[in-house]
Amino acid sequence: MRQLATLLLFAVFYIPAFAQDSIPTATETIKEDHKSFTDDDAATLPWHARRFRLMVGTFFPINNTTVKVAGNNGNIATEIDLEDDLGFQDNTTSFYANVMWRASKRSRFELEYFYLNRESSKTLEKEITFNDHTYPVNASVNAHFNTTITRFAYGYAILCKPKYEVGLLIGSHVMFIDLGMGLSTNVGSVGVSDKFKVTAPLPDLGIWSEVVITRKLGLYVNANYLSAKVDNIDGQILSYNVSLLYNVFQNLSLTAGYSGLDIDVEITKKRVNGSFDWGYNGPSLAVTYTFGNHIKFRK
């Protein structure tokens, strides 16, 4: 995943550098009209460079999750692969939403929301110690892993042209984690269950690029990374996104993208310690609506 993120960082600067040469060629190929696609055309597109953007869509991630939670009874916690050990599905479907406000030509603010609720039932093939209890082999257990992520970011455009922009990002992913498991039969102890809930703020830094390819097509790329310790949470985060926008009618567009996230978090609390290594990647589809005044560019 880090190699992919490196390629994305390269693409952020490579694509705009050649945008002026490649855009006319793409326009001639599609033959949308007989005149050349100018900066003036790009600056007045109904879907591009508007003050506000609202995006709502569906995400289809493939998950890989490892957790380890130790209680205060001195037992050594088991490292649990949620997909292999507890029967969680790799492929899932989720909802996400994104709102962007362009405060000025160079400054933008983004707020993103994503949630993923997962449940499983399985007969254990190995002994698992989770929090304060040990679940024996052949025990039937029910488990859940519910995660909500909110992301807030401020972006500043270093390069700001009608057909392309390149900028820096600073923000934070805030994770709300709810993990639990319990016996579904009376193997072992009746009524045994454990839960672990935590809120983990993870700051990050990144870069982004936005390119107008033709009158109907736009490309957006971003990548974020940071490793930091905040209070009792020590975390590392890597995220990336590549999205292709197709304008359907005036301010309404469809967006197809591919996103990934890798989070490694260690949490120390008064009565329990936990670690999460959660990664996902997959395609997404969204409806995008832009509105408000156009941003004024300098050519």
Side-chain angles (χ1 to χ4, degrees), residues 10 15 26 45 49 61 79 89 98 103 107 133 141-143 162 197 205 220 222 230 232 247 253 259 265 271 299:
F10 177 74
I15 293 173
L45 292 174
E79 185 172 270
Q89 293 293 320
N98 178 286
S107 294
H133 296 102
V141 297
N142 296 322
K197 293 184 178 182
L205 300 171
Y220 180 78
N222 76 63
V230 180
N232 60 344
N247 182 239
S253 304
S259 302
V265 180
R271 300 181 59 184
K299 301 176 186 177

Side-chain angles (χ1 to χ4, degrees), residues 81-91 117-122 142-146 179-180:
D81 187 308
L82 295 192
E83 290 75 29
D84 292 341
D85 296 333
L86 295 183
F88 283 86
Q89 293 293 320
D90 296 333
N91 301 305
N117 293 341
R118 305 167 66 194
E119 296 182 350
S120 72
S121 298
K122 185 169 181 176
N142 296 322
H144 69 267
F145 182 55
N146 300 332
L179 172 65

Side-chain angles (χ1 to χ4, degrees), residues 14 51 58 65 74 91-92 105 112 127 143 146 149 179 200 206 213 219 254 263 279 284 289:
Y14 179 87
R51 187 70 67 180
T58 304
T65 317
N91 301 305
T92 52
K105 182 181 69 172
E112 190 170 80
E127 183 178 270
N146 300 332
I149 299 177
L179 172 65
I213 302 175
L219 178 68
L254 297 178
I263 295 176
S284 62
Y289 183 75

Side-chain angles (χ1 to χ4, degrees), residues 152-267:
F152 177 78
Y154 167 73
Y156 181 82
I158 300 174
L159 300 177
C160 190
K161 300 296 182 180
K163 291 181 182 176
Y164 65 89
E165 297 176 83
V166 177
L168 301 176
L169 287 169
I170 181 171
S172 176
H173 287 73
V174 182
M175 295 182 60
F176 302 89
I177 300 170
D178 179 7
L179 172 65
M181 64 181 296
L183 292 172
S184 58
T185 68
N186 50 8
V187 176
S189 300
V190 178
V192 171
S193 64
D194 293 275
K195 288 186 178 182
F196 182 70
K197 293 184 178 182
V198 69
T199 300
L202 300 173
D204 55 63
L205 300 171
I207 59 176
W208 61 272
S209 177
E210 190 168 335
V211 179
V212 177
I213 302 175
T214 70
R215 284 180 174 79
K216 291 287 186 180
L217 291 176
L219 178 68
Y220 180 78
V221 181
N222 76 63
N224 303 272
Y225 174 81
L226 194 65
S227 179
K229 184 173 183 179
V230 180
D231 294 331
N232 60 344
I233 300 172
D234 190 358
Q236 176 178 285
I237 184 170
L238 171 66
S239 68
Y240 61 88
N241 171 261
V242 179
S243 298
L244 186 66
L245 176 146
Y246 177 75
N247 182 239
V248 178
F249 178 72
Q250 294 184 356
N251 304 50
L252 188 66
S253 304
L254 297 178
T255 302
Y258 194 90
S259 302
L261 179 71
D262 187 61
I263 295 176
D264 188 358
V265 180
E266 293 187 4
I267 302 161

